[in-house]
Amino acid sequence: MRLLILLPASLLFIACQSNSKMNSDKQTDSIAHVQDTASTSWKNEGCAWLKTNVEKNFTNDGRENMEAITTSEYYEYKSDATNVDLIVDGSLTAAEFEKKWGSKFDTKYAGIGAGFLISGQDWGSITLSTCDYMKGNEQEATYKVLISDCQYNTDYHREITLVKDQENFKIANVKEFD
């Protein structure tokens, strides 16, 4: 008798689990479709813009280029991150930096104490080796990029978010993974 009750209950449980997984997969597909509405041209133009401007940034000292190719908010954020705990006017402690920027950026990927786009103080021949579109819409897009210094045999793994500023692009965020 117990077996007769357990068998249908087990089948019902398995059926519900399978249905739940199918609904979850459909929901995930739906969310991915909503998040990824960027046109193919935006995806390609963004990579081309990144390649040109990342490489150009390292043909001179880069400071003027950084401000020109980033949003004002990201420029201030990265400037603060670079100067955390340094003894210079306006520098922040790590706690002050987190308090100021933690609600707008994921500060664990800020590149504290590191320069813009790469963490090395010196560089040789910088190139954008790979650029893969990750997600976006018509106003912003995120790319997974590999910035390589061929002269020093160093790679920098980054996620760069671009926004459209009228007809131009601007870097709105860089997540630094190494």
Side-chain angles (χ1 to χ4, degrees):
M1 180 70 165
R2 225 175 183 190
L3 185 59
L4 289 176
I5 293 173
L6 263 144
L7 185 59
S10 297
L11 291 174
L12 181 61
F13 177 75
I14 292 169
C16 288
Q17 293 291 39
S18 176
N19 190 28
S20 172
K21 176 157 178 29
M22 285 175 37
N23 285 340
S24 174
D25 290 345
K26 285 180 186 175
Q27 220 173 17
T28 303
D29 290 344
S30 175
I31 290 169
H33 179 68
V34 169
Q35 289 177 344
D36 190 14
T37 59
S39 67
T40 302
S41 65
W42 174 205
K43 295 173 187 179
N44 295 337
E45 289 170 13
C47 273
W49 185 90
L50 276 169
K51 181 160 181 59
T52 298
N53 286 280
V54 166
E55 292 173 3
K56 182 179 170 185
N57 184 72
F58 293 99
T59 58
N60 60 23
D61 73 5
R63 184 136 178 100
E64 297 83 23
N65 289 339
M66 177 187 166
E67 191 168 12
I69 64 174
T70 61
T71 63
S72 58
E73 183 176 55
Y74 179 75
Y75 180 78
E76 182 182 350
Y77 167 72
K78 184 57 186 175
S79 295
D80 283 350
T82 301
N83 295 321
V84 165
D85 289 333
L86 293 180
I87 304 172
V88 295
D89 287 343
S91 69
L92 305 172
T93 65
E96 291 169 332
F97 177 76
E98 176 62 35
K99 183 178 179 184
K100 180 177 180 180
W101 295 108
S103 65
K104 295 180 183 180
F105 294 94
D106 190 347
T107 58
K108 70 181 176 186
Y109 299 110
I112 302 283
F116 177 55
L117 296 172
I118 65 170
S119 52
Q121 286 186 330
D122 296 321
W123 63 84
S125 176
I126 298 292
T127 185
L128 190 75
S129 300
T130 63
C131 181
D132 298 312
Y133 172 82
M134 292 176 61
K135 63 182 178 182
N137 55 44
E138 289 304 315
Q139 286 74 43
E140 92 174 21
T142 301
Y143 300 86
K144 181 178 180 179
V145 303
L146 181 66
I147 300 171
S148 299
D149 186 334
C150 300
Q151 184 175 342
Y152 288 107
N153 296 322
T154 307
D155 290 326
Y156 304 96
H157 299 85
R158 304 290 185 254
E159 262 182 37
I160 300 178
T161 300
L162 293 181
V163 294
K164 282 192 177 178
D165 180 21
Q166 295 162 2
E167 291 302 313
N168 296 317
F169 298 111
K170 296 276 186 170
I171 295 173
N173 192 16
V174 178
K175 287 186 178 179
E176 301 183 25
F177 297 103
D178 47 19

